[in-house]
Each structure stands twice: as structure tokens, then as C-alpha cells.
Amino acid sequence: LKNFGSALEIVGRFEDALVLFDKVSHDGHPDVDIIASKVSVLERQGRGMDAWEVLEPLLASAPDHAGVATQFANLARRVDRQAEARDHVARVLEQNDHSDETEQALLFSLGNLEDALGNFDAAFSAYARANALARQPYDAAKYLAEVEATEAIFAPGWQERLAMASNRSQLPVFIVGMPRSGTTLCEQILACHQSVHGAGELEHIPKIEKPVNPGELTTAAFDQIANKHFEFLQHQGGSADRVID
């Protein structure tokens, strides 16, 4: 259930996640993981002080819990306790045997706190340790082969050679842009129209078809992808004439 609640948080269904977390909590025997997850949801909702009220008792009852430490780090600036949070995270890092994923999260939290406190060398050290846990070996030959394959696909004239889907539905509206460039605002403005449904940042198309060389796809293959996405958007948008992705 905790994982389901976390999934609801990831997709932005914060109230549903809070209801679930409250439902599975046990009076007198609180689940620290569940409470820490609830703190995360409250913080993402912008309810920082509500999150702090939930978290603060855990600092005494579960001081060595990694989730409590990372949530303390997230809220420390709101309650002006960055130095205390830094020491808390550092102590948890030293005392417990963590998985690489948990240790990485703690180290990134430590780096953020050191940075906020102006201890830039210490912040850099924490970030470097965190990144080292996720480091993948660099294969120069493999990378060069991937670049050359991409260049071959997108050589001059590739669009003219590309097959096209025969589906000409005007239902989908794709908004494309760099992060923080106003794409969400654009969607919200368009979705104010009664015939337009804003579906958010959908991740449906990559789930339909694994990455392939587009030059190898036929019209029939493109039609299959387009039709599946069209059906998905119809389900999302109901009777709307346009659905924004």
C-alpha cells in the first residue's frame, strides 16, 4: 500500500495519496515509512508547516530512519534549522548500513544543506560521493557507434523518406518545449476552452512502441501506434474535440 501511495504521489494525486496513507496508519503503532511518505506529499502540496507538524515527532521517535532524515532536510529551510538537519543527516549516514539508493538520497540531501549553509566545498564533496554511487562505466566505442547510427538515420532528406500514418485525426494537440518555458501555462490557457481537455504530460507513446529506427517503420506500423494513442486520448478527453498532450 505504501508503494501504491507513492505511485499516486508521483502522478500528482496528492489527496488520494494522503487518504491512503491515513487509512493504513495504525494508532499507537505508527509506520515510520508511511508517515515519512505523508510528509513528502504535504511538502509537495506546498503545505510546509503541516508537513513539519507531522515530521517533528519522528525526529525523537525515529532519529535513525533515513526517510525521516531526508524529509528533515527538505523542510529545514522552512523552519530555519538547516544546521541541525545537516548534522542529523550526517549522523544517519554514519550510523546505518544503507542501500546505494538510500545512501545516494542522503548524500544529495547533505549536499543541499551544506550548499544552503554556504559550505560549498563540503557540498561538492557530498554531491561527488552521491554521483559516484550511480556512475556507469563509459564505453567510448559504444557511444561512438550510437552517434554514427543516429547520424545515419537523420541524414539529409530523412523526413522525405519517412513513412507517414494515414490517421489524420485532429484530436491530439502536442505542446513541445524546454523545461520552464511556459508549456504548462500554454496548456492551462488552451484547456480553458470548453472543447479542449488538458491531459497533462502523458507518457503513453513510449509505452506503445519501444524505441526503433523510424526509417524502418511502415505506414501500417505508424497507423498502429497512432490508432492506439488516438483511443487513449479519447478515453482521457471524453467528448472534447482536442486533447492536449
Side-chain angles (χ1 to χ4, degrees), residues 122-197:
F124 184 87
S125 175
Y127 290 143
R129 289 171 60 194
N131 285 319
L133 291 173
R135 181 171 296 169
Q136 299 295 324
Y138 176 67
D139 187 332
K142 180 180 177 182
Y143 179 73
L144 180 59
E146 291 174 350
V147 171
E148 291 176 344
T150 301
E151 289 178 341
I153 293 171
F154 298 103
W158 72 274
Q159 290 176 306
E160 289 74 13
R161 298 190 298 270
L162 192 65
M164 298 287 289
S166 61
N167 188 320
R168 292 294 182 265
S169 169
Q170 295 185 358
L171 181 69
V173 177
F174 296 102
I175 297 178
V176 182
M178 296 294 290
R180 305 298 179 185
S181 63
T183 53
T184 300
L185 177 60
C186 182
E187 178 194 31
Q188 292 172 343
I189 293 172
L190 293 172
C192 289
H193 193 284
Q194 61 183 1
S195 299
V196 179
H197 173 73

Side-chain angles (χ1 to χ4, degrees), residues 209-222:
E209 186 70 36
K210 295 180 180 179
V212 294
N213 181 343
E216 297 176 355
L217 292 177
T218 63
T219 295
F222 275 120

Side-chain angles (χ1 to χ4, degrees), residues 1-21 23-24 33-34 37 41 44:
L1 288 174
K2 175 185 177 296
N3 291 338
F4 181 43
S6 298
L8 291 172
E9 178 186 359
I10 290 171
V11 299
R13 293 173 56 181
F14 299 131
E15 290 301 329
D16 291 337
L18 289 175
V19 169
L20 181 62
F21 289 145
K23 182 178 180 180
V24 299
D33 286 327
I34 294 293
S37 296
V41 173
R44 290 190 63 186

Side-chain angles (χ1 to χ4, degrees), residues 76-90:
R77 181 171 295 187
R78 289 180 181 268
V79 293
D80 195 25
R81 296 174 69 168
Q82 292 100 315
E84 182 183 346
R86 183 266 317 275
D87 295 342
H88 186 107
V89 172

